[in-house]
Amino acid sequence: MILVNGRAAETVNALDRGLAYGDGVFRTLRTHSGQPLWWADHYAKLASDCKALALDCPDGALLQAEVYQVADVGQGVVKIMLTRGAAARGYAPSMDGECTRIVLSTPLPPHARSDAPPDVTVRWCTLHLARQPRLAGIKHLNRLENVLARAEWDDPAIFEGILCDDSGRVVSGVMSNLFWVRQGELFTPDLSNCGVAGVARARLLRAAARLGIRSHIGQFRSDAILAADEVMICNSVIGVRRVARLDDMTWSPAGWTATLNKALYEDLD
């Protein structure tokens, strides 16, 4: 089911700035029995991203009601897209136009189901992310870098690609955030220059604090990953997955993935 500005529809205005420029933001969240998982976190991040782009964020109760309306009765995925709306041609944004609000649901993908393999194989991407602090952390609609990075492979055995920025520092996965453990401490890349700061990433850092695990957010190169005891990726749909292989590098389980994935879901809202 798809709602556009609260009404069942499958089309948007051809002059919509989300279509023309990627001028908007989005969120992808998991649902259980028609209920959005981690709603408070997702809405807070949506509001923060809207503020960064000077977009009007819809009322939380209104948006949540639309999520309930489209969500599958079992498990599924809901995507929320907000654009600056329809406008005349040209880059100059109108600050008094009406935003376009799109809420849609899709079935839970096989790779996110409970019987999906817990371990994944990943690869280094050749595409490097451009650094742009004004957009760093925001889940904006212009995701061409991710599209081009994902087009680098068609091997179904490879689950994800790992991205670095144009200076060679590790940033994230194509569709996920990246973590690793070294000598009992948790590490994740700093996203102040590029990349998406996902809700699962924020929750995982909070979970680590509850567990008394020391966490480090910094700028790291590939050798930091290769020296890890365990490497993980995470997002709001798949939770935490252990990286078993990265190109020619392999890791045996060290127990961290299961611990952190359990903690990720303990603080439900």
Side-chain angles (χ1 to χ4, degrees):
M1 185 176 184
I2 305 172
L3 298 177
V4 179
N5 295 326
R7 298 183 178 183
E10 295 185 357
T11 60
V12 296
N13 192 315
L15 297 177
D16 195 284
R17 290 179 62 90
L19 176 64
Y21 308 120
D23 188 0
V25 297
F26 74 104
R27 299 242 44 89
T28 305
L29 54 103
R30 187 164 176 160
T31 60
H32 290 274
S33 301
Q35 302 288 321
L37 192 63
W38 310 338
W39 173 252
D41 287 329
H42 279 290
Y43 184 74
K45 185 64 169 71
L46 183 72
S48 174
D49 288 355
C50 283
K51 182 178 180 180
L53 296 187
L55 293 170
D56 288 334
C57 188
D59 175 74
L62 169 68
L63 200 56
Q64 188 174 25
E66 293 181 353
V67 171
Y68 286 143
Q69 188 174 345
V70 304
D72 291 336
V73 295
Q75 297 189 74
V77 176
V78 169
K79 185 172 184 177
I80 300 167
M81 291 177 278
L82 302 175
T83 82
R84 205 176 299 276
R89 181 181 177 278
Y91 288 126
S94 171
M95 296 304 177
D96 56 2
E98 183 177 351
C99 290
T100 301
R101 184 178 74 254
I102 304 167
V103 182
L104 61 89
S105 64
T106 57
L108 192 68
H111 64 256
R113 295 172 186 166
S114 59
D115 58 352
D119 300 337
V120 298
T121 295
V122 305
R123 70 187 295 274
W124 291 109
C125 290
T126 59
L127 180 141
H128 286 175
L129 295 174
R131 286 173 287 171
Q132 175 48 268
R134 282 285 299 275
L135 295 176
I138 301 170
K139 202 165 189 176
H140 55 78
L141 287 171
N142 192 330
R143 304 252 60 91
L144 275 176
E145 289 177 314
N146 303 70
V147 170
L148 293 175
R150 183 58 185 85
E152 290 182 10
W153 78 94
D154 59 7
D155 182 352
I158 298 175
F159 185 81
E160 175 66 305
I162 304 302
L163 291 161
C164 296
D165 67 16
D166 54 11
S167 69
R169 293 182 174 86
V170 180
V171 178
S172 68
V174 174
M175 64 170 183
S176 62
N177 285 122
L178 181 66
F179 285 85
W180 62 94
V181 174
R182 171 76 171 167
Q183 296 181 346
E185 298 185 356
L186 188 67
F187 296 82
T188 194
D190 173 34
L191 302 180
S192 59
N193 288 312
C194 57
V196 174
V199 161
R201 175 182 182 268
R203 291 180 63 90
L204 198 55
L205 288 169
R206 295 204 309 259
R210 291 199 310 271
L211 295 173
I213 300 170
R214 187 178 181 187
S215 299
H216 305 268
I217 301 173
Q219 298 187 4
F220 306 99
R221 295 190 178 271
S222 59
D223 55 354
I225 308 292
L226 301 180
D229 300 321
E230 189 154 302
V231 181
M232 295 155 280
I233 58 171
C234 70
N235 68 31
S236 295
V237 176
I238 65 171
V240 185
R241 296 292 178 86
R242 186 181 78 86
V243 174
R245 176 184 290 273
L246 170 56
D247 287 341
D248 295 329
M249 182 70 182
T250 61
W251 289 270
S252 299
W256 290 99
T257 301
T259 297
L260 291 171
N261 192 58
K262 181 176 181 292
L264 181 70
Y265 290 95
E266 284 177 345
D267 181 20
L268 296 177
D269 49 48

